[in-house]
Short mmCIF file of all heavy atoms in Angstrom, two decimals:
data_model
loop_
_atom_site.label_atom_id
_atom_site.label_comp_id
_atom_site.label_asym_id
_atom_site.label_seq_id
_atom_site.Cartn_x
_atom_site.Cartn_y
_atom_site.Cartn_z
N ALA A 194 21.19 -39.63 -11.37
CA ALA A 194 21.85 -38.55 -12.17
C ALA A 194 21.23 -38.29 -13.55
O ALA A 194 20.93 -37.23 -13.90
CB ALA A 194 23.38 -38.87 -12.33
N GLN A 195 20.95 -39.39 -14.25
CA GLN A 195 20.33 -39.29 -15.52
C GLN A 195 18.95 -38.65 -15.51
O GLN A 195 18.54 -37.85 -16.33
CB GLN A 195 20.34 -40.66 -16.28
CG GLN A 195 19.92 -40.59 -17.74
CD GLN A 195 20.88 -39.78 -18.58
OE1 GLN A 195 22.10 -39.84 -18.38
NE2 GLN A 195 20.30 -38.98 -19.46
N ASP A 196 18.17 -39.13 -14.56
CA ASP A 196 16.84 -38.59 -14.43
C ASP A 196 16.80 -37.13 -14.04
O ASP A 196 16.01 -36.36 -14.50
CB ASP A 196 16.02 -39.43 -13.39
CG ASP A 196 15.77 -40.86 -13.83
OD1 ASP A 196 15.58 -41.01 -15.01
OD2 ASP A 196 15.73 -41.76 -13.01
N LEU A 197 17.73 -36.75 -13.16
CA LEU A 197 17.85 -35.30 -12.69
C LEU A 197 18.24 -34.45 -13.87
O LEU A 197 17.66 -33.40 -14.05
CB LEU A 197 18.84 -35.24 -11.59
CG LEU A 197 18.47 -35.94 -10.24
CD1 LEU A 197 19.64 -35.77 -9.25
CD2 LEU A 197 17.21 -35.35 -9.67
N MET A 198 19.18 -34.92 -14.68
CA MET A 198 19.53 -34.15 -15.85
C MET A 198 18.41 -33.96 -16.86
O MET A 198 18.18 -32.88 -17.50
CB MET A 198 20.77 -34.75 -16.53
CG MET A 198 22.05 -34.48 -15.77
SD MET A 198 23.55 -34.87 -16.83
CE MET A 198 23.34 -33.60 -18.16
N SER A 199 17.65 -35.06 -17.06
CA SER A 199 16.61 -35.04 -18.07
C SER A 199 15.41 -34.19 -17.61
O SER A 199 14.77 -33.48 -18.44
CB SER A 199 16.09 -36.40 -18.30
OG SER A 199 17.16 -37.26 -18.77
N ALA A 200 15.11 -34.14 -16.32
CA ALA A 200 13.90 -33.49 -15.83
C ALA A 200 14.23 -31.99 -15.42
O ALA A 200 13.34 -31.21 -15.37
CB ALA A 200 13.37 -34.23 -14.55
N THR A 201 15.47 -31.65 -15.21
CA THR A 201 15.81 -30.34 -14.79
C THR A 201 16.47 -29.58 -15.95
O THR A 201 17.55 -29.93 -16.37
CB THR A 201 16.75 -30.35 -13.56
OG1 THR A 201 16.23 -31.22 -12.53
CG2 THR A 201 16.93 -28.97 -12.96
N PRO A 202 15.79 -28.46 -16.46
CA PRO A 202 16.32 -27.80 -17.61
C PRO A 202 17.60 -27.03 -17.22
O PRO A 202 17.77 -26.58 -16.07
CB PRO A 202 15.24 -26.83 -17.97
CG PRO A 202 14.43 -26.64 -16.74
CD PRO A 202 14.55 -27.94 -16.04
N ASN A 203 18.47 -26.79 -18.26
CA ASN A 203 19.72 -26.05 -18.05
C ASN A 203 20.63 -26.54 -16.93
O ASN A 203 21.27 -25.80 -16.24
CB ASN A 203 19.41 -24.54 -17.90
CG ASN A 203 18.61 -23.94 -18.95
OD1 ASN A 203 18.77 -24.31 -20.15
ND2 ASN A 203 17.65 -23.10 -18.61
N LEU A 204 20.60 -27.85 -16.79
CA LEU A 204 21.44 -28.47 -15.73
C LEU A 204 22.58 -29.24 -16.34
O LEU A 204 22.44 -30.02 -17.31
CB LEU A 204 20.57 -29.42 -14.91
CG LEU A 204 21.17 -29.94 -13.61
CD1 LEU A 204 21.34 -28.82 -12.63
CD2 LEU A 204 20.32 -31.07 -13.04
N LYS A 205 23.80 -29.00 -15.84
CA LYS A 205 25.00 -29.71 -16.30
C LYS A 205 25.29 -30.81 -15.38
O LYS A 205 24.90 -30.90 -14.18
CB LYS A 205 26.15 -28.72 -16.34
CG LYS A 205 25.92 -27.51 -17.35
CD LYS A 205 27.15 -26.56 -17.23
CE LYS A 205 26.90 -25.41 -18.15
NZ LYS A 205 28.00 -24.42 -18.10
N LYS A 206 26.07 -31.73 -15.80
CA LYS A 206 26.50 -32.91 -15.02
C LYS A 206 27.34 -32.45 -13.79
O LYS A 206 27.18 -33.00 -12.72
CB LYS A 206 27.31 -33.87 -15.84
CG LYS A 206 27.63 -35.18 -15.17
CD LYS A 206 28.32 -36.15 -16.00
CE LYS A 206 28.58 -37.49 -15.39
NZ LYS A 206 29.29 -38.47 -16.24
N SER A 207 28.08 -31.41 -13.99
CA SER A 207 28.89 -30.92 -12.82
C SER A 207 27.99 -30.33 -11.76
O SER A 207 28.27 -30.36 -10.54
CB SER A 207 29.85 -29.84 -13.30
OG SER A 207 29.16 -28.76 -13.94
N ASP A 208 26.81 -29.76 -12.09
CA ASP A 208 25.91 -29.28 -11.20
C ASP A 208 25.33 -30.36 -10.21
O ASP A 208 25.07 -30.20 -9.08
CB ASP A 208 24.73 -28.54 -11.87
CG ASP A 208 25.20 -27.32 -12.59
OD1 ASP A 208 26.19 -26.71 -12.22
OD2 ASP A 208 24.47 -26.93 -13.60
N ILE A 209 25.06 -31.52 -10.86
CA ILE A 209 24.64 -32.66 -10.07
C ILE A 209 25.69 -33.15 -9.08
O ILE A 209 25.38 -33.46 -7.93
CB ILE A 209 24.17 -33.81 -11.00
CG1 ILE A 209 23.05 -33.38 -11.91
CG2 ILE A 209 23.75 -35.00 -10.20
CD1 ILE A 209 22.59 -34.41 -12.92
N GLU A 210 26.89 -33.20 -9.49
CA GLU A 210 28.02 -33.70 -8.68
C GLU A 210 28.36 -32.74 -7.53
O GLU A 210 28.63 -33.15 -6.44
CB GLU A 210 29.18 -34.05 -9.52
CG GLU A 210 28.95 -35.21 -10.54
CD GLU A 210 30.05 -35.44 -11.49
OE1 GLU A 210 31.00 -34.59 -11.38
OE2 GLU A 210 30.00 -36.35 -12.28
N GLU A 211 28.35 -31.44 -7.92
CA GLU A 211 28.84 -30.44 -6.98
C GLU A 211 27.74 -29.71 -6.21
O GLU A 211 27.97 -29.30 -5.09
CB GLU A 211 29.76 -29.43 -7.70
CG GLU A 211 30.94 -30.06 -8.42
CD GLU A 211 31.68 -29.03 -9.26
OE1 GLU A 211 31.30 -27.87 -9.18
OE2 GLU A 211 32.66 -29.43 -9.93
N GLY A 212 26.60 -29.55 -6.81
CA GLY A 212 25.55 -28.74 -6.18
C GLY A 212 24.77 -29.54 -5.18
O GLY A 212 24.70 -30.78 -5.19
N GLY A 213 24.11 -28.84 -4.27
CA GLY A 213 23.28 -29.45 -3.29
C GLY A 213 21.85 -29.76 -3.82
O GLY A 213 21.33 -29.04 -4.65
N TRP A 214 21.28 -30.81 -3.26
CA TRP A 214 19.91 -31.20 -3.65
C TRP A 214 19.07 -31.48 -2.43
O TRP A 214 19.59 -31.92 -1.44
CB TRP A 214 19.94 -32.42 -4.54
CG TRP A 214 20.46 -32.13 -5.95
CD1 TRP A 214 21.74 -32.00 -6.35
CD2 TRP A 214 19.64 -32.05 -7.15
NE1 TRP A 214 21.84 -31.73 -7.65
CE2 TRP A 214 20.60 -31.73 -8.15
CE3 TRP A 214 18.30 -32.02 -7.46
CZ2 TRP A 214 20.21 -31.51 -9.50
CZ3 TRP A 214 17.85 -31.82 -8.74
CH2 TRP A 214 18.79 -31.58 -9.78
N PHE A 215 17.73 -31.17 -2.56
CA PHE A 215 16.87 -31.42 -1.40
C PHE A 215 15.62 -32.19 -1.88
O PHE A 215 15.19 -32.10 -3.03
CB PHE A 215 16.41 -30.04 -0.83
CG PHE A 215 17.55 -29.14 -0.42
CD1 PHE A 215 18.04 -28.22 -1.30
CD2 PHE A 215 18.16 -29.31 0.82
CE1 PHE A 215 19.07 -27.34 -0.96
CE2 PHE A 215 19.28 -28.48 1.15
CZ PHE A 215 19.70 -27.52 0.28
N LYS A 216 15.07 -32.97 -0.92
CA LYS A 216 13.87 -33.68 -1.24
C LYS A 216 12.78 -33.14 -0.41
O LYS A 216 12.92 -32.99 0.84
CB LYS A 216 13.99 -35.28 -0.91
CG LYS A 216 14.75 -36.04 -1.97
CD LYS A 216 14.57 -37.51 -1.69
CE LYS A 216 15.03 -37.98 -0.32
NZ LYS A 216 15.04 -39.47 -0.19
N VAL A 217 11.64 -32.78 -1.05
CA VAL A 217 10.48 -32.26 -0.32
C VAL A 217 9.23 -32.91 -0.97
O VAL A 217 9.29 -33.43 -2.05
CB VAL A 217 10.41 -30.70 -0.40
CG1 VAL A 217 11.56 -30.11 0.22
CG2 VAL A 217 10.32 -30.27 -1.90
N ASP A 218 8.12 -32.88 -0.28
CA ASP A 218 6.86 -33.30 -0.84
C ASP A 218 6.51 -32.45 -2.01
O ASP A 218 6.69 -31.25 -2.01
CB ASP A 218 5.76 -33.20 0.23
CG ASP A 218 5.87 -34.14 1.37
OD1 ASP A 218 6.57 -35.19 1.11
OD2 ASP A 218 5.46 -33.86 2.46
N PHE A 219 6.05 -33.09 -3.12
CA PHE A 219 5.90 -32.31 -4.35
C PHE A 219 4.84 -31.24 -4.25
O PHE A 219 4.83 -30.20 -4.98
CB PHE A 219 5.58 -33.27 -5.51
CG PHE A 219 4.20 -33.79 -5.54
CD1 PHE A 219 3.21 -33.15 -6.19
CD2 PHE A 219 3.82 -34.93 -4.81
CE1 PHE A 219 1.90 -33.58 -6.21
CE2 PHE A 219 2.54 -35.45 -4.82
CZ PHE A 219 1.61 -34.71 -5.53
N GLU A 220 3.92 -31.38 -3.25
CA GLU A 220 2.86 -30.33 -3.12
C GLU A 220 3.49 -29.07 -2.52
O GLU A 220 2.90 -27.98 -2.61
CB GLU A 220 1.80 -30.80 -2.08
CG GLU A 220 1.11 -32.06 -2.54
CD GLU A 220 1.68 -33.32 -1.84
OE1 GLU A 220 2.83 -33.25 -1.54
OE2 GLU A 220 0.85 -34.29 -1.69
#
Side-chain angles (χ1 to χ4, degrees):
Q195 188 60 40
D196 292 328
L197 294 176
M198 284 195 64
S199 301
T201 310
N203 302 323
L204 189 69
K205 301 177 182 178
K206 188 174 182 180
S207 58
D208 295 332
I209 298 177
E210 297 174 352
E211 300 174 4
W214 288 78
F215 305 94
K216 281 194 301 185
V217 296
D218 293 334
F219 76 93
E220 301 98 331

